Amino acid sequence: MLKKALFALPLALAVGMPAHADMRENPADVLRHVINTLPDSVYLTQSEQNLMMMEDNPNLWTVEDGRELFYAERGPNNVSLETCDFGKGPGVLEGAYVEMPRFFADTGRVMDLESRLVHCMITIQGFAADDPAVRQRHGSNSDHMKLQSYITFQSNGLPWNPSLSHPLERAMRDAGEQLFYRRAGALDMSCQTCHEQEGKRIRASVLPSINQPAEWTKAISWPAFRVGHQNSRSTQHRVRGCYWQMRQGQIVAGSDASIALIAFWTDAARGQPAILPDMKR
Amino acid sequence: MFGKKKILAGGLVALASAAVILAGCASQEKEDYALAYYTQMSAAELAEHLIFEKGGFNLDQPTQEGTTVRERQTQDDLNMVCSEYRNRPPADVAGQIVTEARASMKYPEYGLELGDWRRGAELAWSGFGFRVGHNVDNHERREVGGNCYNCHSMSEGRTGGSLGPSLVGYGKTRGDSLEVRRFVYEMMYNPHAYFPCTEMPRMGHNGLLSAEAMADIMAYLLHPESPVNR
């Protein structure tokens, strides 16, 4: 474990090294850049401790685990995920995540990263839909968090640019906007309740505003290591948690409703650099 | 009120059905994807379709109030109209909302008495209750809380949120007259009577808090010995 800890971080940083010379390969640098564009943001600067710990984000080890897993020959078909197309061609990972959710012609659906990964694990590797490798979505030790962390790391520092060229992509984004502002449930809440204004708090937690792109890019940068959970968490996990807190029903991960919402919230951070992996309270 | 809305909602369903028929035609013309009908719907229609027809939520899961998630996700007139205007209703709509909220008020039989401020303190702090999906709140094991501190500062000793205004010293500055009690009670029961499309939940109207719990929280806000007023 110690040996792993010693080489995991530099290796993780090197793996993601992009072709562009000016790219920030360190998520902590990306976050510092974002903060510099909005130094007065209470949300971005609420945890000095997390900022300091970004260099040693435990999720970077999850990234490394994911790299091994991505290229490993697995499943009943004993093949790797190298032929999985995340939108930029089979096996092309660099910059793929910041353009998702997007339309995939082979399924006829707009898919987010998680549902695309499920699709590839089932169709390419031959996993059954209820195999733990596919079904278990949460926690640093799940295959999903490892793979998602590795894939998203290949988009670190790149601007969010979800595809809106296909009519279905635009329809899903617009439906997601409706869902964002849709009040329902026992507490009459919508996502707007907590994420419309800057600098507001739920108890001690400062909330990000969707109307402030520099805050919003950090808000939607998942996977992130959640210090309070001592685990890496995904985008779908964040969506589920919000609906739970709002006392609405449980949204189904991978449903078109969840993907529509993610399409809208990713579009709201368009142009801002993705911080992957991030670290959150 | 909102008769127009209901007619509109009916129209949406009809339109959605038409879109499904259109999609049927489209598939005969060998469209390369099955979900083309999504693009025939308005964004609002599609959102409803994704929730209720496309497995967006676990609709059949039971809720603490004895219904299912389907009812939780179904908007009443107020939530529908406030969502449409993103909580900034035009004056005429706002007036209707206030009128409706006033008409919804129900008062405890024994009048607007202050309850136990110590119990109110715990209820104001507690965020327990009505969560479904995972880690479902079991109301038989613990009393439902008021979630007040999520959004409001209330006393110096505990950190509260800032989505709502600070209520520190509330009773100290306003006194404990019947008028103040009525306002506090009505703000908890249905705050849209004063602030149409406010973010604050309808704690009474939605059945989140009992009359007793509201009396206790009211005491926490107004009683001179409560930490709110010391």
Side-chain angles (χ1 to χ4, degrees):
Chain A
M1 191 64 191
L2 180 63
K3 193 178 166 196
K4 187 180 173 187
L6 286 174
F7 71 72
L9 182 65
L11 184 59
L13 294 177
V15 164
M17 193 74 81
H20 329 292
D22 62 341
M23 265 291 299
R24 292 173 207 87
E25 72 275 16
N26 184 338
D29 287 340
V30 180
L31 177 56
R32 279 190 283 267
H33 164 75
V34 170
I35 292 173
N36 284 339
T37 67
L38 197 68
D40 294 335
S41 167
V42 195
Y43 168 71
L44 288 173
T45 57
Q46 68 179 305
S47 175
E48 203 174 319
Q49 194 184 358
N50 280 5
L51 284 173
M52 285 163 61
M53 284 166 64
M54 272 291 276
E55 304 280 356
D56 301 313
N57 189 341
N59 181 271
L60 289 167
W61 300 351
T62 313
V63 167
E64 273 312 285
D65 290 344
R67 186 182 65 81
E68 259 177 54
L69 211 53
F70 188 84
Y71 296 101
E73 291 169 346
R74 304 176 72 221
N77 297 344
N78 202 34
V79 290
S80 79
L81 284 167
E82 284 169 275
T83 57
C84 182
D85 186 349
F86 291 94
K88 295 173 82 73
V92 180
L93 300 184
E94 192 188 327
Y97 179 59
V98 284
E99 295 182 14
M100 296 176 88
R102 74 184 308 153
F103 177 76
F104 288 89
D106 57 359
T107 59
R109 288 184 64 200
V110 175
M111 302 170 91
D112 68 334
L113 172 63
E114 186 169 303
S115 52
R116 189 63 184 170
L117 203 47
V118 167
H119 170 77
C120 285
M121 290 171 87
I122 292 172
T123 59
I124 295 173
Q125 296 184 308
F127 281 111
D130 63 349
D131 191 292
V134 177
R135 205 188 57 234
Q136 197 186 329
R137 310 280 170 89
H138 302 145
S140 299
N141 285 325
S142 66
D143 291 355
H144 257 283
M145 277 322 308
K146 292 173 184 173
L147 291 165
Q148 289 186 34
S149 296
Y150 173 66
I151 295 163
T152 55
F153 184 59
Q154 315 308 318
S155 284
N156 176 48
L158 296 173
W160 296 107
N161 186 28
S163 176
L164 288 178
S165 54
H166 193 281
L168 210 46
E169 291 168 341
R170 293 192 292 274
M172 288 283 277
R173 180 238 168 259
D174 292 351
E177 182 172 5
Q178 291 289 320
L179 292 172
F180 189 90
Y181 290 98
R182 188 180 188 278
R183 296 181 69 160
L187 293 179
D188 298 328
M189 286 182 177
S190 71
C191 309
Q192 180 190 11
T193 308
C194 289
H195 298 299
E196 184 189 33
Q197 301 166 271
E198 287 172 58
K200 295 289 183 182
R201 281 180 290 105
I202 285 278
R203 299 194 188 235
S205 297
V206 186
L207 301 158
S209 168
I210 196 168
N211 296 313
Q212 179 47 262
E215 289 190 350
W216 201 242
T217 182
K218 179 171 166 61
I220 67 160
S221 286
W222 302 94
F225 187 81
R226 286 203 67 180
V227 178
H229 296 196
Q230 284 294 301
N231 258 305
S232 296
R233 297 304 191 193
S234 67
T235 298
Q236 286 281 358
H237 188 272
R238 178 63 271 171
V239 172
R240 187 186 81 161
C242 284
Y243 276 107
W244 183 74
Q245 294 286 20
M246 287 195 287
R247 276 73 168 175
Q248 295 200 31
Q250 183 171 59
I251 193 163
V252 176
S255 67
D256 279 350
S258 72
I259 293 168
L261 185 61
I262 291 166
F264 169 66
W265 88 11
T266 309
D267 186 44
R270 182 177 296 282
Q272 292 285 321
I275 307 154
L276 298 165
D278 189 25
M279 204 162 189
K280 294 174 166 68
R281 301 174 50 113
Chain B
M1 76 178 283
F2 305 131
K4 208 170 79 183
K5 284 242 116 285
K6 278 180 184 142
I7 293 162
L8 187 62
L12 296 186
V13 174
L15 268 173
S17 310
V20 172
I21 295 162
L22 273 176
C25 300
S27 69
Q28 286 161 18
E29 292 164 27
K30 296 189 178 171
E31 279 280 343
D32 60 348
Y33 52 91
L35 302 178
Y37 74 95
Y38 279 14
T39 64
Q40 308 296 318
M41 300 169 132
S42 75
E45 290 161 19
L46 180 55
E48 300 304 306
H49 183 72
L50 297 185
I51 295 169
F52 293 106
E53 310 298 332
K54 299 292 286 184
F57 285 78
N58 288 324
L59 295 175
D60 294 331
Q61 189 177 44
T63 61
Q64 292 87 348
E65 61 269 31
T67 57
T68 64
V69 163
R70 183 180 299 277
E71 282 74 25
R72 280 271 181 106
Q73 296 314 116
T74 302
Q75 292 178 303
D76 66 4
D77 286 341
L78 178 80
N79 277 334
M80 203 182 282
V81 78
C82 290
S83 300
E84 183 185 340
Y85 292 108
R86 297 187 180 179
N87 299 334
R88 291 173 191 83
D92 57 329
V93 178
Q96 278 183 305
I97 291 169
V98 168
T99 307
E100 284 283 306
R102 288 234 65 83
S104 80
M105 294 293 177
K106 290 189 178 68
Y107 303 91
E109 290 165 16
Y110 47 81
L112 295 170
E113 297 296 321
L114 297 192
D116 178 347
W117 66 258
R118 287 177 183 82
R119 267 177 44 83
E122 293 315 305
L123 290 172
W125 180 251
S126 169
F128 185 84
F130 290 97
R131 288 171 293 206
V132 295
H134 63 290
N135 298 340
V136 177
D137 287 331
N138 181 349
H139 289 189
E140 286 171 16
R141 290 181 55 189
R142 218 175 129 187
E143 191 174 358
V144 173
N147 280 289
C148 312
Y149 272 92
N150 284 0
C151 299
H152 297 284
S153 291
M154 300 186 82
S155 63
E156 303 291 352
R158 285 174 154 175
T159 303
S162 63
L163 283 168
S166 169
L167 303 175
V168 175
Y170 194 90
K172 199 175 183 176
T173 52
R174 289 166 182 78
D176 180 27
S177 65
L178 188 60
E179 287 73 22
V180 169
R181 285 187 190 184
R182 180 179 298 279
F183 176 73
V184 168
Y185 178 88
E186 291 182 346
M187 275 301 293
M188 285 191 286
Y189 194 90
N190 188 345
H192 298 269
Y194 297 97
F195 301 99
C197 291
T198 176
E199 302 281 12
M200 181 162 165
R202 293 168 286 177
M203 305 305 296
H205 178 270
N206 287 3
L208 291 151
L209 292 176
S210 65
E212 188 192 0
M214 281 192 281
D216 292 338
I217 293 171
M218 190 156 67
Y220 180 58
L221 267 178
L222 299 179
H223 199 284
E225 285 172 27
S226 159
V228 170
N229 300 315
R230 280 198 311 239

